[in-house]
Amino acid sequence: MESMRLQKYMSDCGLMSRRAAEKEIAAGKVTVNGARAEIGQKITPGIDEVRYNGKPVKGSSQKLYVMLYKPRGYVTTMSDEEGRKCLPELLKDIPERVYPCGRLDMDSEGLLILTNDGEVANKLMHPKNHVEKIYHVKIKTEIEPEQLAALNGPMVIDDYKIKPVKVSIIERKEGTTILKFVLSEGRNRQIRKMCESLGLQIVRLKRVSVGELTIGMLTPGKWKYMNYREVSYLKNL
């Protein structure tokens, strides 16, 4: 078998994205044949022994593609050192270990895509594919026209000029407004920081779609395997 870069191997095994693998390698959490691994190092699958946090890294025999409605109060990780609720508690019936493609912060809810197909995960998360994500955001005020215009205009978050965001009103009631946010990139807590910069208090933040994949009839804490059309969409990104 031909050799390959270590981060690609870890991704192909469904462990995490290549970018995440590079961070874990740099942090010293990965070994090859008992020695600390280096970024860019090449390995030969089936010959070299790769371990992550002391556990062997092996390819999965079955590729799985899952849609999950993450409830509020869960962190988007497969384990948590602080003992907070995390994804495996919601995925106990899945026969293979799957990993989230992207994140939702603990106070947010909605659609998460999980898979053990590293190539698909890379496609979904790579910025060049511009996969749009749609969020429904309830704020604790009746938004003013100038605030809505500001959300749609140029904004700098954490010293970074974010890509344009499309924001529109779904519903306006006395004391609250539900907004639709369409993002083509996902900076850390971007929507929350955008709203905070304008003094808008978020009551609820829900992701309803990732590209052509929608949350549909899923309810909080429930998941489903993707159908053929949904998987084909991911593979053709």
Side-chain angles (χ1 to χ4, degrees), residues 124-153:
L124 188 58
M125 292 187 288
H126 202 288
K128 73 176 183 180
N129 289 322
H130 304 295
V131 178
E132 286 190 340
K133 300 176 179 68
I134 297 177
Y135 301 78
H136 290 176
V137 181
K138 184 177 183 180
I139 59 171
K140 197 175 181 180
T141 188
E142 292 184 56
I143 193 166
E144 300 294 335
E146 57 270 23
Q147 292 173 313
L148 184 62
L151 290 172
N152 279 282

Side-chain angles (χ1 to χ4, degrees), residues 149-156 161-162 164:
L151 290 172
N152 279 282
M155 295 190 80
V156 176
K161 186 177 180 180
I162 61 173

Side-chain angles (χ1 to χ4, degrees), residues 78-93:
M78 301 311 290
S79 62
D80 186 69
E81 295 177 353
E82 299 178 30
R84 295 173 296 182
K85 293 184 289 186
C86 50
L87 301 184
E89 297 173 38
L90 304 171
L91 304 167
K92 293 177 181 176
D93 297 330

Side-chain angles (χ1 to χ4, degrees), residues 4 7-18 63-65 101 115-126 128-129 234-237:
M4 64 171 65
Q7 57 265 40
K8 183 179 187 304
Y9 172 72
M10 294 174 68
S11 174
D12 288 351
C13 287
L15 190 61
M16 61 188 73
S17 70
R18 293 186 201 181
K63 299 301 183 187
L64 299 177
Y65 309 88
C101 303
T115 183
N116 56 0
D117 186 332
E119 199 61 39
V120 161
N122 284 324
K123 285 183 178 182
L124 188 58
M125 292 187 288
H126 202 288
K128 73 176 183 180
N129 289 322
L234 287 178
K235 290 185 175 181
N236 289 315
L237 284 173

Side-chain angles (χ1 to χ4, degrees), residues 15 29-31 49-58 97:
L15 190 61
K29 297 180 180 180
V30 183
T31 61
E49 182 191 51
V50 179
R51 288 179 174 265
Y52 171 59
N53 284 333
K55 296 180 180 179
V57 178
K58 296 180 180 179
R97 196 167 174 83

